Amino acid sequence: MDIKNLKVGLSYNDVLLVPRRSRVESRKAVHTESMLAQGINLKIPLISANMDTVTEANMAIAIAREGGLGIIHRFMGVASEVAEVRKVKRAEAYIIDRPYSIGKDATISEAREIMQSHGVSGLLVTDRTNKLLGILSDRDIRFIGNEEEPVSKAMTPRTRLITASPGIAMDRALKIMDSNRLEKLPIVDKGNVVKGLITSKDLYRRMHSDKYAKDKKGRLLVGASIGIKGDYIERAEALADAEADILVLDVAHGHTDGVIKAIREVKKSLPGMKLMAGNVATAEGFEDLAAAGADCVKVGIGPGAACTTRRVTGAGMPQLTAILDCSEAARKLKISLIADGGIKNSGDITKSLAAGASAIMIGSLFAGTDESPGYFIRRDGAKFKAYRGMASFGANISRKKMDKIEIDPQEVFDIVPEGVESSVPYIGSMKEVVYQLIGGVRSGMSYCGASDLEELRRNAKFIMLTESAAKESYEKLKQY
Ligand code: XMP
C-alpha cells in the first residue's frame, strides 16, 4: 500500500465555484440541455432515482414534463414495471378518449351552453349507441337566429366528415388534419362508434411542448431499471417492448465481473437499446463499464441521503472526487457521466455539472413531492413522506416478499442493510421543486460565465474551503 500518496477525497461542501467574468445577461439565457446517449436528450439534467419511494409513473411523467427523466424502479414484478412504463408513454395522449357529445335533436341553445360550460369549441353529434352522426362547431352556430332549432340542422353531417381509426399515429393525424385544414378529427371504429377525438389545438400543444423531454414520436421519455440476476433479460426485453427509452442496470457496487457480464448480455439481446450502468466511483470502473457496452455510466458509492454503505462497509468515495476522476474517462470516451446521490441543494447540482456530470440522479430531494410513491406520515402536525434506501432492511424484506409469501427466518437474519428507512418533509409539486433547483443551477452557471453545460465544464474553477470558509458559506440564519 502506497501510504505516502494517499489521495484527498472531496465532497460538495468542501468546494465552491469561483465566480468568473460573465457575458450571460440573465439566467433565462442559460441553456441546460444535456445528452445522455444518442437520441436521449434532456432539457434539464435531472433524473429521478429508481427507488420505490421515488419513481413510478407519476414521478416519471412529472419530471419528463419539466424536461428531465424518471427511472421506474424494479422492485415489482415485470408486468407491473412494464405497466408503469406504458402509463408514461400514454401520458401525453393527443387523443381525447371521451369527447363531449350531444344528440341530434338537442337545441342550438343547449349545444351553446355545453360548449361554454366545458370551454370547448365543438361537440360530436352522436346517437344513443355513441355512433357518429356529425360535428357541431361554434362557428356553425355563431350567426344562427333561431336558438331552438335542432343541432342536426347546423351540424356538418357524417357524410362530409373525415375520420380516423383507433391507434392512429400522431404524425399521420397531423398530415390528415393539415392537408384537409381540419380543426377536429374524430376517431371511430369499423362500426362508426366514437372512440376518441383529436383536435388541432391539442396536437399543436403537443408538438410545441418544448419544455418536455420527448421521444421521436412526441411521447414523454422514460427509463426503467433492471438488475443483474434472475429474470433480468426477460425484464429488459419486456421493458424494451413497452418502448422504455433507456434501461438502467445498477447495483450498489457496479465495478464487478457480474455487472460487466450483465451489460454484455443485455446488449447482446437488445443491441439497439440504450443502457445506463453503475454504480462506480473510479475512472477504471467507468472505463470498464463503458467498454462492456454501457451508453452512460452512473457514479456514486455511498453519498446518498439514505445510504449507510460507507459506515457499514468502510468503502466509498467522496462524491465530488469520484465525479472529477470519472469525468476524464467520460470526456475521453465520449460517454455521459451520471452523478448519483448526495445532492442537498441546487448548488450541489451546479458543482456536479461543473465537475463533469451530464446529468444528476436525485432521490431524497424528490421523495417529498406529491408525485413520489412514498406514503404520507404526520409527525407533530407536519407532513412527511416515506423515503428509504433500496438496501435498507425494509426494502430487502419487500424484495424477498416479491418472490414468496413466507420468508425463512434465516433469510431475515442474513440481511446486512446498507441503507436506512426514513422520511423527508413534504414539499409540494415536482414543478415547484424543479423550478427552484433549475433556477439555482442557471444562476450558478451564470456566476461561472457559462451559457451552457459545455461552457460550464470548460470555465469552472473550484476552490477548496477551510473549515471557517465552509462555516461562512453554509452556516446561515434560519429561515422563518
Ligand atoms: P439521494 O442523496 O439523492 O441519493 O437520496 C439517491 C441515491 O442513493 C443510492 N441508494 C442507496 N445507496 N444504500 C446505498 O448505499 C441504499 O440503501 C441506497 N438506496 C439508494 C442510489 O444510488 C440512489 O440513486
Side-chain angles (χ1 to χ4, degrees):
M1 193 194 308
D2 179 8
I3 51 163
K4 279 195 195 134
N5 291 311
L6 271 191
K7 230 174 127 155
V8 174
L10 299 174
S11 64
Y12 294 125
N13 273 6
D14 294 321
V15 299
L16 283 174
L17 285 158
V18 179
R20 317 218 39 196
R21 181 172 176 158
S22 181
R23 287 174 290 108
V24 183
E25 281 176 8
S26 86
R27 59 173 207 228
K28 287 208 176 88
V30 170
H31 302 280
T32 57
E33 288 84 1
S34 186
M35 192 179 94
L36 278 198
Q38 208 72 44
I40 313 234
N41 299 303
L42 303 184
K43 302 282 167 61
I44 60 165
L46 300 185
I47 302 178
S48 65
N50 42 316
M51 299 171 73
D52 67 357
T53 48
V54 181
T55 312
E56 288 177 2
N58 277 349
M59 172 63 77
I61 291 168
I63 192 165
R65 282 186 177 148
E66 297 309 313
L69 178 72
I71 312 294
I72 307 290
H73 70 87
R74 65 184 154 94
F75 303 98
M76 54 180 124
V78 174
S80 303
E81 193 177 354
V82 162
E84 294 300 304
V85 168
R86 292 219 156 102
K87 274 188 220 163
V88 184
K89 285 294 171 197
R90 269 201 313 259
E92 282 309 306
Y94 52 94
I95 298 178
I96 305 161
D97 282 339
R98 267 173 275 154
Y100 297 114
S101 60
I102 195 164
K104 71 177 177 25
D105 299 324
T107 64
I108 300 295
S109 110
E110 285 169 324
R112 209 186 288 285
E113 210 181 299
I114 296 175
M115 283 190 213
Q116 269 164 12
S117 65
H118 293 296
V120 294
S121 61
L123 298 172
L124 294 186
V125 184
T126 54
D127 70 9
R128 286 218 175 110
T129 57
N130 207 25
K131 284 198 172 134
L132 185 64
L133 303 175
I135 287 185
L136 185 77
S137 85
D138 58 359
R139 258 184 282 159
D140 298 329
I141 57 174
R142 200 167 291 163
F143 303 113
I144 269 192
N146 183 359
E147 289 285 307
E148 295 313 305
E149 269 196 5
V151 160
S152 55
K153 282 248 169 123
M155 72 182 189
T156 307
R158 174 72 182 89
T159 45
R160 284 181 26 222
L161 290 182
I162 295 172
T163 61
S165 307
I168 184 168
M170 193 166 93
D171 49 354
R172 177 90 193 109
L174 182 72
K175 256 191 206 139
I176 296 175
M177 295 181 82
D178 187 39
S179 54
N180 295 287
R181 299 271 172 268
L182 297 180
E183 284 290 322
K184 295 186 166 56
L185 181 66
I187 313 285
V188 292
D189 67 10
K190 284 188 184 126
N192 192 35
V193 175
V194 173
K195 293 290 169 193
L197 175 71
I198 300 176
T199 72
S200 60
K201 206 164 77 190
D202 287 340
L203 212 50
Y204 183 84
R205 198 184 299 135
R206 263 295 298 281
M207 313 239 357
H208 295 269
S209 49
D210 288 344
K211 214 172 73 171
Y212 296 180
K214 289 182 289 192
D215 65 16
K216 280 193 198 117
K217 293 183 186 165
R219 302 169 306 178
L220 297 176
L221 286 185
V222 62
S225 177
I226 58 171
I228 61 163
K229 285 188 193 145
D231 63 1
Y232 77 100
I233 291 289
E234 180 197 327
R235 191 177 282 262
E237 285 172 351
L239 294 165
D241 209 44
E243 297 186 82
D245 298 283
I246 186 165
L247 297 182
V248 176
L249 183 156
D250 67 348
V251 294
H253 180 24
H255 193 192
T256 60
D257 292 352
V259 168
I260 289 168
K261 182 167 164 273
I263 295 172
R264 291 201 183 113
E265 292 294 323
V266 173
K267 278 289 179 177
K268 201 164 83 191
S269 303
L270 300 161
M273 189 66 187
K274 299 296 173 226
L275 187 63
M276 184 189 298
N279 279 15
V280 301
T282 61
E284 261 182 314
F286 194 101
E287 285 167 1
D288 284 351
L289 300 204
D295 298 283
C296 36
V297 177
K298 205 144 68 76
V299 174
I301 305 280
C307 306
T308 54
T309 294
R310 293 181 189 172
R311 232 161 53 196
V312 172
T313 69
M317 180 77 120
Q319 183 66 347
L320 188 72
T321 295
I323 299 168
L324 286 167
D325 279 6
C326 293
S327 70
E328 279 177 39
R331 216 178 11 249
K332 202 172 67 199
L333 299 168
K334 293 195 171 57
I335 294 265
S336 294
L337 183 165
I338 316 302
D340 179 15
I343 298 294
K344 292 173 293 307
N345 48 52
S346 49
D348 291 348
I349 301 177
T350 321
K351 290 172 191 174
S352 181
L353 295 167
S358 290
I360 322 295
M361 181 170 267
I362 290 179
S364 56
L365 276 193
F366 288 161
T369 59
D370 290 316
E371 291 84 354
S372 77
Y375 53 87
F376 279 105
I377 299 165
R378 270 198 187 275
R379 209 183 303 133
D380 302 329
K383 247 174 149 183
F384 294 81
K385 282 191 96 171
Y387 179 59
R388 66 177 184 181
M390 293 318 305
S392 63
F393 181 79
N396 267 291
I397 293 285
S398 302
R399 205 165 317 155
K400 291 183 191 302
K401 278 191 185 154
M402 272 169 54
D403 307 324
K404 51 192 141 195
I405 299 159
E406 247 177 62
I407 308 166
D408 181 349
Q410 182 62 40
E411 278 187 86
V412 177
F413 178 84
D414 286 348
I415 295 172
V416 181
E418 288 186 27
V420 294
E421 288 157 88
S422 188
S423 64
V424 290
Y426 167 64
I427 45 171
S429 74
M430 271 297 279
K431 196 177 181 65
E432 292 167 68
V433 171
V434 170
Y435 185 83
Q436 289 300 321
L437 290 180
I438 292 299
V441 170
R442 285 173 182 276
S443 207
M445 287 170 70
S446 80
Y447 274 104
C448 295
S451 56
D452 60 34
L453 295 184
E454 191 45 53
E455 202 171 7
L456 175 67
R457 275 181 283 243
R458 261 200 330 265
N459 280 8
K461 265 193 184 169
F462 284 111
I463 186 156
M464 250 170 77
L465 305 182
T466 60
E467 200 182 324
S468 54
K471 265 193 185 158
E472 177 189 89
S473 307
Y474 308 120
E475 286 184 13
K476 302 291 170 184
L477 290 177
K478 277 225 164 85
Q479 169 88 27
Y480 286 106

